[in-house]
Amino acid sequence: MNFLVGLIFSAIVAIVVLLVPWIGVGVLHLYTIFGIVVPYLAILIFLIGMILRVIDWGRSPVPFRIPTTAGQQWSFPWIKHSWIENPKDSKGVIVRMALEVLCFRSLFRNVRLEYRRIENLPKVAFEWEKWLWMAAIAFHYSFLVIFLRHFRFFTNPIPSFVKIIEKLDGFFQAGVLPIPGLTIPEVYITDLLLLAAVTYLLLRRLYIPQVRYVSLPSDYFPLFLILGIGTTGVLMRYFLRVDVTKVKELAFGLFKFHPHVPDGIGTIFFIHLFFVCTLIAYIPFSKICHMAGIFLSPTRNLSNNSRFKRHINPWDNKPAWEYPGMVHTYEEYEEEFRDVMIEAGIPVEKMPEKKEEEKPEQEQ
Amino acid sequence: MLYDGAKILTGLIIGVLFFIFPFLYDAGKPYKKPEPKLTEKAKKAGECVLSKQFMRTWHMQLLDEWRNDVVRKGIHYYRPREIAREMKLDKRLFDQLRHYISDGTRIYVPKSDKVYYMSLQNTCLDCHSNKKEFCDQCHNYLGVHPYCWNCHIAPEEK
């Protein structure tokens, strides 16, 4: 897909997500729908969708170990074994997984391959490239902190971990700024970090040709949603302001199954809420599923023990009806792709008779 | 059939518990909302410096403005009616838009020409002398710890 088409399409959808609550609440005053029905629906879709997703993944057999490693396999005692990069047991797998989930190790390993001419000699060099990792880690941890910070709206005696996070996050007290009252009571570092990181991740998608080429609307859309959430959140906290006591009455009511919408909450809050609801309802159908999927990545969670443990394909020597859809014979494969194969000039076993008659006619 | 079912289900349960934590936390306790109480004096006065909705949403900005005016500019009196009337058109439009999106109210013009001495301790706390029943109600509900009281003396209460 042309990147402009994808970009414009996802931007239009994001603008619709912006306008729906604006009109729905600002003009039509549909408080119950946007304040109660939509959030409950979104939470339900998210929870059920994620559970079905994970169960669906769990039902897929992974008969082979996929060790894609960057380290030396365990073999002889005199060859140094890289136990994290190429684990032979679950201890290594756990460490590798923890590094991946908490530190984004595979992004950290990212380098840029560069072709250069030095003194007129061609040279291939691996360049330092940590920007993606840095933006990703800033973004994900900011998002986590912001998510946890929001628990102050969801719970009533506010748990102490939320208070600690809030205090650490808000230790900037900018005091006097050109716009009076802008930074009252304090500026959250994660708010700024998140917006900066998401903006970088979006610009990177648009700027680097290779990344732009592989980007689809499903890549842009979540970024737009998160940008929308971040922007409306920042607007609400620093510029436009809403009556947070009433906002908490609404949010806390939802979690106590005492749903009601107090009067006097501005439209901006419902725009923020609708962005959030759209995002969480969209998660099970989108790439953001990686929050669960990362734990099920076969290249990260399988130890490389093929050489000393036998893994048997579950449908080997089993009748095909026990594993429907798992056995795909070459005949079936060719049946499915014959036209494309002929078009690409790949030899096929069974030539369709019609095509042979038609082809010369077309050439004439 | 689930492959590695025990591990996957454990992970799934942990994940779901994390996301439904707000539903589970303190479950069974009833819904509560803060009930800030006005003192007799505040009830008698009838109006605050600006409208009630404005004060609910923006009092911290107003206090910050007051602090800057008093400490940095040496201005000590606040005339809300004059300010609202003398507001230039562009600022009025901007403010109206801001109000419309933030709380759906209009720019408030106070009914009387009352002039306020800009002081948290002498003016605000004169009416709202019940910090525990007034300020703290919402502040504690939201986990907000304003640093007013780092310098100012909180009113003495029984």
Side-chain angles (χ1 to χ4, degrees), chain A residues 180-233:
Chain A
L182 179 67
T183 60
I184 297 293
E186 58 244 334
V187 178
Y188 286 136
I189 304 163
T190 48
D191 282 355
L192 309 174
L193 263 181
L194 178 100
L195 283 182
V198 173
T199 310
Y200 171 78
L201 291 172
L202 180 62
L203 290 179
R204 175 184 162 274
R205 250 179 213 293
L206 300 176
Y207 183 72
I208 303 174
Q210 293 92 327
V211 185
R212 188 167 65 211
Y213 184 74
V214 296
S215 294
L216 292 169
S218 60
D219 296 310
Y220 296 119
F221 184 55
L223 282 175
F224 286 142
L225 281 183
I226 291 163
L227 262 180
I229 292 171
T231 315
T232 47

Side-chain angles (χ1 to χ4, degrees), chain B residues 73-138:
Chain B
K73 297 180 191 159
I75 306 168
H76 285 276
Y77 291 94
Y78 186 70
R79 300 178 169 82
R81 192 169 153 99
E82 239 172 75
I83 292 172
R85 289 193 158 171
E86 285 169 7
M87 209 184 258
K88 292 220 172 77
L89 186 66
D90 56 336
K91 179 143 194 311
R92 189 183 289 273
L93 284 175
F94 178 72
D95 253 36
Q96 184 54 66
L97 185 71
R98 195 152 82 158
H99 274 291
Y100 166 67
I101 305 174
S102 95
D103 49 25
T105 56
R106 289 167 175 246
I107 297 178
Y108 177 76
V109 182
K111 288 170 199 93
S112 65
D113 274 315
K114 211 170 164 190
V115 175
Y116 295 90
Y117 182 67
M118 289 194 269
S119 165
L120 175 71
Q121 268 169 255
N122 296 325
T123 308
C124 303
L125 296 181
D126 186 34
C127 282
H128 303 293
S129 51
N130 50 345
K131 176 172 174 283
K132 272 184 198 135
E133 284 174 331
F134 187 74
C135 308
D136 291 348
Q137 280 289 316
C138 296

